[in-house]
Amino acid sequence: MSLALDTAAQDLLFREAQTANTFTDEPVTDEQIQAIYDLVKFGPTAFNQSPLRITLVRSEEARQRLVSHALGANGPKTLSAPLTAILSVDLDFHEKLPQLFPHAPGIKDSFFSEAAVREVAGTQNATLQAGYFIVGVRAAGLAAGPMTGFDFTGVDKEFFGDGKQKSLLVVNIGKPGADAFFPRSPRLDFDEAVTSI
């Protein structure tokens, strides 16, 4: 059975897309990021909670602050990218539920009054949205370099000192540069990953 999405789009989003490690200096515009967000915001989350927040790191001063929390080669990679995004979970996402889930206005308090519950639910759903974001970057014809090799406690103190957001991922964004991609690693076959019961 074939997919409804044409082969070129499948290749762009998945088969030929890889994590980029170097970038050209071609800028990533606000219009491109707006278009990416306006596409990926439609991905589903539980109760439409939409807890992902995106912090765009553009200035040299902000880049240096971010790179001070990078581990290993992630610092130079980040400095080479024209744009970097910190993807974080809004730990007070429930405050927007009356707007985002208006047909059940009481859900904000009945389900999400406890901070620990919000952190678990928000982290699960923001991580899901981070996956949509990476696919959205690819759909814009750009490469994404998602990284978890950061001291996220330090990133949170540096950028979200009020404790209302918790960083999950740092993503470099741009056109791939020279030698941007490592050889593709193997993937599990269908029978190794999928079970019918």
Side-chain angles (χ1 to χ4, degrees):
M1 180 173 138
S2 62
L3 300 173
L5 198 64
D6 69 57
T7 301
Q10 293 172 38
D11 289 343
L12 177 71
L13 300 178
F14 296 100
R15 291 193 197 97
E16 294 179 6
Q18 289 185 253
T19 296
N21 295 288
T22 67
F23 297 87
T24 70
D25 58 3
E26 182 178 329
V28 176
T29 67
D30 290 338
E31 292 77 18
Q32 286 172 302
I33 295 298
Q34 176 82 50
I36 291 165
Y37 179 77
D38 285 342
L39 177 66
V40 304
K41 70 183 180 183
F42 292 109
T45 56
F47 302 108
N48 197 34
Q49 61 189 246
S50 306
L52 182 72
R53 300 296 176 262
I54 303 164
T55 302
L56 301 176
V57 182
R58 289 194 183 276
S59 73
E60 185 60 29
E61 179 268 337
R63 274 181 187 289
Q64 293 298 332
R65 288 169 51 212
L66 178 60
V67 165
S68 72
H69 303 287
L71 305 178
N74 290 335
K77 281 196 258 188
T78 300
L79 291 174
S80 82
L83 179 64
T84 301
I86 303 170
L87 304 188
S88 61
V89 56
D90 178 357
L91 298 175
D92 283 341
F93 70 84
H94 68 307
E95 296 295 346
K96 296 197 180 293
L97 284 175
Q99 168 192 342
L100 296 173
F101 210 64
H103 52 283
I107 203 161
K108 169 184 172 281
D109 298 315
S110 61
F111 275 68
F112 298 111
S113 61
E114 295 180 23
V117 172
R118 287 196 306 276
E119 183 168 354
V120 170
T123 299
Q124 288 173 335
N125 286 278
T127 302
L128 183 62
Q129 287 186 284
Y132 305 145
F133 181 79
I134 292 166
V135 173
V137 168
R138 293 171 174 181
L142 300 169
M147 300 170 290
T148 56
F150 279 75
D151 169 12
F152 284 116
T153 300
V155 171
D156 292 346
K157 286 179 183 173
E158 187 78 41
F159 291 92
F160 314 124
D162 62 2
K164 302 289 186 180
Q165 291 185 54
K166 186 174 179 181
S167 53
L168 303 170
L169 192 63
V170 172
V171 184
N172 290 326
I173 304 166
K175 293 286 188 180
D179 302 316
F181 306 116
F182 299 142
R184 189 182 287 283
S185 298
R187 299 299 195 267
L188 295 176
D189 289 333
F190 180 86
D191 291 341
E192 296 176 281
V194 179
T195 304
S196 294
I197 56 173

